[in-house]
Amino acid sequence: MCTIPRAASNVLTCTDSYSFLGRSLTSEGPLSRFVLIKAVLGPIMRLMFRPQVEGAEHIPGDGPVILAGNHLTFIDSMILPLVCDRQVFFIGKDEYVTGKSLKGRLMAWFFTGVGMIPVDRDGGRGGVAALMTGRRILEEGKIFGIYPEGTRSPDGRLYRGRTGIARLTLMTGAPVVPFAMIGTDKLQPGGSGMPRPGRVTVRFGEAMEFSRYDGMDRDRYVLRAVTDSVMTEVMRLSGQEYVDMYATKAKAA
């Protein structure tokens, strides 16, 4: 029987990332929460969002993989894990698992079950925690999902990627599979509230590898070039207009 976890104890900080991962990323067996969630919610999600998945064959069947894509709305993080055969681990806001209401506890059970690892991003150290977490996941041969923009798009356009994704692929050698969420912002405008039923498309591109830059994960020009290459592919897959500035800056304007 699955139980709702004590959400507050699941928040990852920069200092406890390795011990947290040592406990949380072990296999839960054939009847894991991930399998249960896909079996129960998968059909409901398919009926509600009618996802059309393109290019899933580009995701390797084993070994470390980075999935990198655009981020339009909250439900992106619900749809992506349910359309992939392999479990996708990804970073999420700690507030998704710290709610004490029934809704908050159910959200914690769902997101930690599908692979979200909550990170406390306060104090300016969250970026380091996220990077170390992603590296550990990839070193264990798993899939790590990331939104290079760092936050949801404020207006449906694609914004400049942050270089954490480049650091991860260069540090671990994991290939990057770009993806695009298309239509989720139409079903959940503004990124909050109950989403409307409708059709979404999840489109995966061919795997990208950057072995030619081995040992250059501290070169800022290389990091920017790798990140821009990934974002160019995401733009091609999504058809979004590209904006050469960070989404956080656009939101603050």
Side-chain angles (χ1 to χ4, degrees):
M1 179 177 180
C2 294
T3 56
I4 298 174
R6 293 175 60 190
S9 65
N10 286 337
V11 177
L12 176 68
T13 65
C14 186
T15 57
D16 65 6
S17 58
Y18 281 91
S19 61
F20 178 91
L21 286 164
R23 295 196 306 271
S24 68
L25 296 188
T26 55
S27 173
E28 296 182 45
L31 296 180
S32 66
R33 271 190 293 150
F34 175 64
V35 173
L36 176 63
I37 287 170
K38 286 197 73 168
V40 174
L41 294 184
I44 297 174
M45 298 282 280
R46 282 193 290 272
L47 282 172
M48 187 169 184
F49 302 125
R50 306 196 305 278
Q52 177 177 328
V53 182
E54 302 174 5
E57 69 274 9
H58 296 310
I59 303 175
D62 53 45
V65 182
I66 301 171
L67 296 183
N70 60 336
H71 194 14
L72 296 172
T73 192
F74 177 79
I75 60 173
D76 295 339
S77 298
M78 300 177 67
I79 293 173
L80 180 63
L82 295 176
V83 300
C84 294
D85 291 335
R86 296 177 61 189
Q87 185 167 10
V88 180
F89 293 91
F90 55 99
I91 298 299
K93 296 179 182 178
D94 59 348
E95 61 203 62
Y96 291 162
V97 301
T98 54
K100 299 186 182 302
S101 65
L102 177 60
K103 177 184 176 182
R105 291 169 69 83
L106 287 172
M107 284 180 61
W109 182 83
F110 173 84
F111 279 114
T112 57
V114 297
M116 191 196 93
I117 300 173
V119 170
D120 181 356
R121 297 189 291 188
D122 291 338
R125 305 201 316 177
V128 177
L131 187 66
M132 297 298 287
T133 301
R135 181 175 184 175
R136 177 64 179 271
I137 290 169
L138 294 167
E139 287 175 344
E140 292 181 357
K142 297 178 171 66
I143 295 183
F144 184 63
I146 186 171
Y147 301 117
E149 292 169 280
T151 187
R152 293 194 296 262
S153 170
D155 54 17
R157 296 184 294 176
L158 184 69
Y159 283 81
R160 195 179 200 209
R162 296 188 177 274
T163 58
I165 183 174
R167 292 181 186 277
L168 281 175
T169 186
L170 296 184
M171 286 190 299
T172 64
V176 178
V177 174
F179 73 89
M181 289 284 181
I182 302 170
T184 54
D185 54 335
K186 303 296 191 299
L187 306 186
Q188 194 180 37
S192 61
M194 284 295 295
R196 300 191 293 256
R199 179 176 292 279
V200 301
T201 298
V202 186
R203 184 175 295 150
F204 297 96
E206 294 184 7
M208 307 172 71
E209 64 88 24
F210 299 95
S211 58
R212 61 191 179 277
Y213 298 123
D214 281 352
M216 304 177 71
D217 58 281
R218 294 183 181 276
D219 187 314
R220 64 190 181 97
Y221 296 105
V222 169
L223 295 176
R224 174 47 55 193
V226 169
T227 303
D228 288 348
S229 294
V230 173
M231 297 308 290
T232 296
E233 280 301 295
V234 174
M235 179 180 65
R236 183 184 66 82
L237 293 167
S238 69
Q240 291 171 279
E241 177 186 348
Y242 180 75
V243 183
D244 192 22
M245 67 183 295
Y246 294 120
T248 50
K249 185 176 180 179
K251 286 183 175 182

